[in-house]
Amino acid sequence: MTEPALDAQPASAAEPVPAAEPVPAAEPVPAAHGDTPDPEVLRARALAALTTARARTTLLTTCVEEPDLTAQHSPLMSPLVWDLAHIGNQEELWLLRAVAGREAMRPEIDGLYDAFEHSRAERPSLPLLPPAEARRYAAEVRGRVTGLLESADFHGTRLTESGFAFGMIAQHEQQHDETMLITHQLRTGPPVLTAPDPEPVPLFTGPSEVLVPGGPFTMGTSGEPWALDNERPAHRREVAPFHIDTTPVTNAAYQAFIEDGGYDEERWWTREGWAHIRGHGIHAPLFWHRDGGQWLRRRFGVTEVVPPDEPVLHVCWHEADAYARWAGRRLPTETEWEKAARFDPATGGSMRYPWGDADPAPEHANLGQRHLRPAPAGSYPAGASPLGVRQLIGDVWEWTSSDFLPYPGFRAFPYKEYSEVFFGPEHKVLRGGSFAVDPVACRGTFRNWDYPIRRQIFSGFRTARSAAL
């Protein structure tokens, strides 16, 4: 997203919106996510989500010295200390003020941490809270929120129903944690983060693509309690049959595009894409460079040979679109991506995730910064869709061909700056999450968006083709 949730921030024609109409919430929802969940179950779920997010925030802001916290490592990103205090400020605004009706703790800082009031480029010049004070503020807010959660009433308003506000804040913090992880990737200097690599897997030798049958399916959700406004409401979409890549496009496949002169052939690029890569001297994914006869990349302070079997990472929409055209294919539409990820051919219904309705487990997907890289293509067979499409959740955000647009029947909530102000052809939709996304902020209906020139995000793609071709 241009700015993660709650922050108050085209190369091809917009995707035509198929005929669609709102439908009842027909998708199955587990008991913990149903209409009348046990309050203690909700309380435990909210506390676990908030605690997991804060542990990650702490890791990302204590592994570096103070100069790295206050520095701006890229004009595209905020100083880490801004994110830290902003997380606390949004938690105070929504949980302590909006839900509990309490007085502002530090109203004088609200403007400093309003993402719509100050662009990322100007945030380093603001009188931000220093690291120690930002930590104290965020910790004090969390202490009061924990007390609030112990007696929270999960009924009465849309904001509190099923613990939505607590889930919204947990998602917001995790989205900023992903943003801070991007900042760590952009910073120079020795590595400060460590994590085990994904389990090695045999080279994937399955089919290169999967046929997704045509027909109707239910897109979006009306029943997922913590789903955000742009995921709503559930509605019917009619989809023509299409083929989609079984796995995301790999580094090896993308290198073939480079070696074939893909960055030098105007015919593969849209007008805007060609002007962008030529104007910025782009010849490979971000963080790649050639050393003799091999490609190297920088990953969280480590320089390494580009692993051929991993999904390609740090490519913009224009690069993904050009590769697809070079390969004689195209990017999937957002509708196609979601049908590939959620459609159950046995029932005709839509599942929460490719593997079913259960929350993600380690065997399903590479999520939650458990690793600091994508897993090899073909990993996580337990997370495959019923049709056999793999790694639709986790590893890399996947660019689609679609502009970020509202669903039929969309209503902004809790306010229009969350999604509505970003609708239009300026932003392209990404789906599926990455290794940097926590499960609380990733599901089959979750929608991300960004400018088509963005490459610092953990973005990759897979391609598709119409079945008639």
Side-chain angles (χ1 to χ4, degrees):
M1 302 170 192
T2 306
E3 285 281 2
L6 306 191
D7 279 348
Q9 184 172 0
S12 64
E15 172 199 4
V17 178
E21 57 184 273
V23 298
E27 76 272 20
V29 179
H33 304 274
D35 292 333
T36 56
D38 184 283
E40 294 309 312
V41 172
L42 278 176
R43 214 178 312 280
R45 183 185 180 218
L47 180 61
L50 291 168
T51 301
T52 298
R54 185 52 49 88
R56 187 177 176 197
T57 299
T58 301
L59 170 66
L60 291 166
T61 56
T62 57
C63 63
V64 291
E65 300 295 330
E66 183 167 324
D68 270 335
L69 287 175
T70 56
Q72 186 174 46
H73 298 281
S74 164
L76 297 173
M77 312 304 291
S78 307
L80 292 170
V81 74
W82 185 92
D83 288 286
L84 175 59
H86 169 79
I87 285 168
N89 186 245
Q90 292 293 296
E91 187 167 332
E92 184 202 345
L93 284 168
W94 286 99
L95 298 184
L96 297 182
R97 300 191 211 174
V99 171
R102 299 181 185 176
E103 293 295 320
M105 291 168 57
R106 300 194 60 171
E108 76 279 4
I109 70 171
D110 287 351
L112 296 176
Y113 298 103
D114 183 337
F116 275 82
E117 187 169 332
H118 300 287
S119 69
R120 287 174 173 173
E122 66 179 301
R123 289 171 194 170
S125 64
L126 301 175
L128 303 177
L129 299 182
E133 192 173 352
R135 288 193 183 98
R136 284 195 298 270
Y137 169 62
E140 185 178 355
V141 171
R142 176 54 55 87
R144 297 185 186 189
V145 165
T146 302
L148 170 65
L149 185 59
E150 291 175 355
S151 59
D153 179 2
F154 298 114
H155 300 286
T157 70
R158 188 175 172 192
L159 197 59
T160 57
E161 187 71 31
S162 297
F164 175 81
F166 295 95
M168 179 179 71
I169 286 299
Q171 291 178 82
H172 173 257
E173 182 162 355
Q174 286 286 3
Q175 288 166 340
H176 271 276
D177 288 340
E178 182 176 10
T179 298
M180 289 193 286
L181 190 64
I182 293 170
T183 301
H184 274 279
Q185 168 65 0
L186 288 164
R187 68 174 283 275
T188 58
V192 295
L193 294 170
T194 60
D197 286 341
E199 289 293 320
V201 297
L203 182 67
F204 180 71
T205 57
S208 62
E209 65 178 7
V210 169
L211 174 64
V212 180
F217 91 107
T218 300
M219 187 173 184
T221 180
S222 296
E224 184 76 34
W226 289 3
L228 304 169
D229 63 359
N230 63 68
E231 302 171 64
R232 300 172 182 271
H235 57 283
R236 297 288 186 188
R237 288 286 177 100
E238 189 75 28
V239 182
F242 66 97
H243 296 269
I244 192 167
D245 289 341
T246 308
T247 70
V249 171
T250 65
N251 288 321
Y254 199 84
Q255 284 179 38
F257 168 66
I258 297 173
E259 301 305 328
D260 195 47
Y263 282 88
D264 302 314
E265 291 278 353
E266 184 176 0
R267 58 182 169 149
W268 307 130
W269 302 81
T270 62
R271 183 179 68 245
E272 297 88 347
W274 182 248
H276 178 70
I277 66 152
R278 302 308 282 184
H280 291 81
I282 296 172
H283 299 287
L286 187 61
F287 306 115
W288 286 31
H289 71 275
R290 192 189 289 276
D291 182 19
Q294 64 183 355
W295 284 100
L296 303 179
R297 72 177 182 187
R298 180 170 60 81
R299 182 178 60 85
F300 298 108
V302 175
T303 298
E304 60 189 14
V305 175
V306 172
D309 299 332
E310 281 186 14
V312 68
L313 189 63
H314 295 301
V315 290
C316 69
W317 184 92
H318 293 302
E319 291 169 293
D321 178 68
Y323 172 94
R325 194 172 289 109
W326 169 82
R329 298 170 69 83
R330 58 177 173 80
L331 294 179
T333 67
E334 181 184 13
T335 304
E336 289 173 334
W337 189 98
E338 187 168 324
K339 183 166 187 179
R342 299 185 62 215
F343 180 67
D344 183 357
T347 66
S350 293
M351 305 178 296
R352 295 176 69 221
Y353 298 97
W355 55 85
D357 297 326
D359 288 339
E363 66 269 20
H364 292 135
N366 181 7
L367 293 167
Q369 201 180 310
R370 193 169 70 246
H371 311 296
L372 288 171
R373 64 195 307 157
S379 296
Y380 306 107
S385 74
L387 296 173
V389 189
R390 298 197 182 190
Q391 291 169 286
L392 285 158
I393 299 293
D395 287 306
V396 294
W397 284 107
E398 298 184 14
W399 288 108
T400 72
S401 65
S402 300
D403 297 334
F404 184 48
L405 299 172
Y407 289 161
F410 166 85
R411 287 193 292 179
F413 179 78
Y415 60 105
K416 68 179 183 179
E417 286 83 5
Y418 175 67
S419 299
E420 187 174 330
V421 297
F422 298 106
F423 290 145
E426 296 83 7
H427 297 96
K428 293 295 185 181
V429 173
L430 302 101
R431 288 301 206 103
S434 72
F435 65 88
V437 174
D438 187 81
V440 76
C442 184
R443 47 196 164 264
T445 58
F446 194 93
R447 307 172 76 194
N448 193 0
W449 65 93
D450 215 324
Y451 294 113
I453 62 172
R454 289 289 184 252
R455 308 203 303 160
Q456 84 278 11
I457 58 178
F458 299 114
S459 52
F461 65 99
R462 70 181 73 216
T463 68
R465 66 182 177 94
S466 301
L469 299 180

